[in-house]
Amino acid sequence: MTGFARTIAMRLLAAALASALLVLPTTSAVKASDETLDRTEVAKGLLAHRAVYDIALETAASSSNVQSVSGRLVFEVTGSVCEGFTVNSRFVTEIDDQDGGRRVTDLRSSTYESADADSFEFLSRTFADQRLQQEAKGSAERTADGLSVELSMPEEAKVRFDKDVLFPTEHLVSLIAAAEEDRRIVEADLYDGSEDGRKVYTTTAIIGAVSEDPVGEDDGLLAKSIGTDRHWPVNLSYFDLSKGETGELTPVYTLRFMLFENGVSRALTLDYGNFSLTGTLAELDRLPRSTCK
């Protein structure tokens, strides 16, 4: 169950820094690197904030062996286009299986992405029932022909990916830029330190029409804290091409949620096919904004 919970946490964190679904007329797909809107200007609009999401089980098939899930995802986003972006998170879940077993899993993660998006550092620790089960640490550097990764935990290793890869904040900025330009489909290879830093996922995002309608049910304080009403529904699917599958591929999982123009997300859904989780924004605090010198 530990690996299951850790994977959920990494996907939800990526979702909280990225996107939800609205099927639209067919549009040709574009690479994330194809947008013309200045990424730096988009990144300047990202909100430094601390968000808290209540996690709950939405649906579960009998084959999933999941009876119930509850928990909280807390993360802080700080930084600027001058100094880079740091994300610190903690994701605690209580998972009951259909055999009566229960486990409390606690994932603590910290990442840093340089201002020029040429380097990425990550550290994650997973605790099960308060015992350390897994630890991963590494860094990635963009090269002329791909990505070079150096891992120090769980063991020292070097990994290379010979493809154009985006980091999480860079990917988020690309999605917002595409949404602002009414691009409906965005494809990108994403590296976020998952699978002990050894995995790159191919992603496809379907972006819906912009809206200013209210999202979620609250007293208006959360909407005021977000500071903007403009948002897009995005459906973000993750594919693992390392398995060598061909033909029509089934995503490993799909993220759906509302993406605001300043990078805040609401109404999260993580769909694994045979079970799905929801993430409801419960608290949002604006943090001091770093200024460029």
Side-chain angles (χ1 to χ4, degrees), residues 60-104:
S62 57
S63 59
S64 70
N65 196 34
V66 178
Q67 184 65 35
S68 67
V69 179
S70 61
R72 273 201 159 187
L73 168 65
V74 182
F75 73 93
E76 291 185 356
V77 182
T78 58
S80 71
V81 293
C82 298
E83 64 184 31
F85 293 91
T86 297
V87 178
N88 293 308
S89 72
R90 187 172 182 183
F91 183 48
V92 180
T93 56
E94 183 176 272
I95 304 172
D96 295 328
D97 61 36
Q98 295 176 357
D99 299 321
R102 172 175 295 178
R103 174 163 292 187
V104 176

Side-chain angles (χ1 to χ4, degrees), residues 16-268:
L17 294 171
S19 1
L21 168 67
L22 181 63
V23 177
L24 297 171
T26 302
T27 306
S28 60
V30 298
K31 288 291 184 180
S33 57
D34 290 343
E35 81 271 354
T36 58
L37 194 65
D38 188 345
R39 290 189 187 183
T40 300
E41 291 303 313
V42 174
K44 286 180 179 179
L46 296 182
L47 181 69
H49 65 281
R50 178 181 184 270
V52 179
Y53 295 90
D54 289 333
I55 305 301
L57 180 66
E58 182 182 49
T59 61
S62 57
S63 59
S64 70
N65 196 34
V66 178
Q67 184 65 35
S68 67
V69 179
S70 61
R72 273 201 159 187
L73 168 65
V74 182
F75 73 93
E76 291 185 356
V77 182
T78 58
S80 71
V81 293
C82 298
E83 64 184 31
F85 293 91
T86 297
V87 178
N88 293 308
S89 72
R90 187 172 182 183
F91 183 48
V92 180
T93 56
E94 183 176 272
I95 304 172
D96 295 328
D97 61 36
Q98 295 176 357
D99 299 321
R102 172 175 295 178
R103 174 163 292 187
V104 176
T105 303
D106 181 355
L107 169 68
R108 305 170 191 181
S109 175
S110 179
T111 65
Y112 168 75
E113 188 171 331
S114 66
D116 58 8
D118 278 343
S119 64
F120 179 73
E121 301 172 9
F122 65 92
L123 171 64
S124 65
R125 293 187 176 95
T126 302
F127 297 82
D129 298 328
Q130 300 184 339
R131 296 182 179 180
L132 181 62
Q133 300 290 312
Q134 196 170 20
E135 190 168 21
K137 182 179 182 180
S139 61
E141 295 282 344
R142 196 180 308 282
T143 64
D145 57 353
L147 192 70
S148 177
V149 179
E150 290 194 12
L151 306 174
S152 55
M153 288 188 288
E155 59 184 14
E156 292 187 359
K158 292 185 178 181
V159 183
R160 279 198 55 82
F161 299 101
D162 297 323
K163 57 176 65 178
D164 185 17
V165 177
L166 300 186
F167 299 131
T169 302
E170 182 186 18
H171 185 226
L172 168 64
V173 169
S174 293
L175 292 179
I176 296 173
E180 292 283 11
E181 293 187 330
D182 293 327
R183 297 173 183 247
R184 295 298 185 233
I185 302 176
V186 178
E187 298 175 342
D189 290 320
L190 178 64
Y191 182 86
D192 61 8
S194 294
E195 306 293 333
D196 293 336
R198 297 176 178 272
K199 181 78 70 176
V200 166
Y201 284 97
T202 295
T203 67
T204 298
I206 302 176
I207 305 173
V210 65
S211 173
E212 295 187 6
D213 294 338
V215 178
E217 298 179 2
D218 57 64
D219 55 9
L221 293 179
L222 286 175
K224 184 177 180 180
S225 295
I226 294 173
T228 179
D229 294 325
R230 294 184 73 242
H231 62 271
W232 300 266
V234 182
N235 183 88
L236 181 60
S237 296
Y238 287 73
F239 300 89
D240 183 3
L241 301 188
S242 66
K243 297 180 180 180
E245 298 177 0
T246 58
E248 185 174 352
L249 301 179
T250 300
V252 179
Y253 42 79
T254 299
L255 303 173
R256 297 188 293 272
F257 53 102
M258 298 297 177
L259 172 64
F260 287 79
E261 62 182 339
N262 60 2
V264 175
S265 293
R266 299 192 70 170
L268 313 182

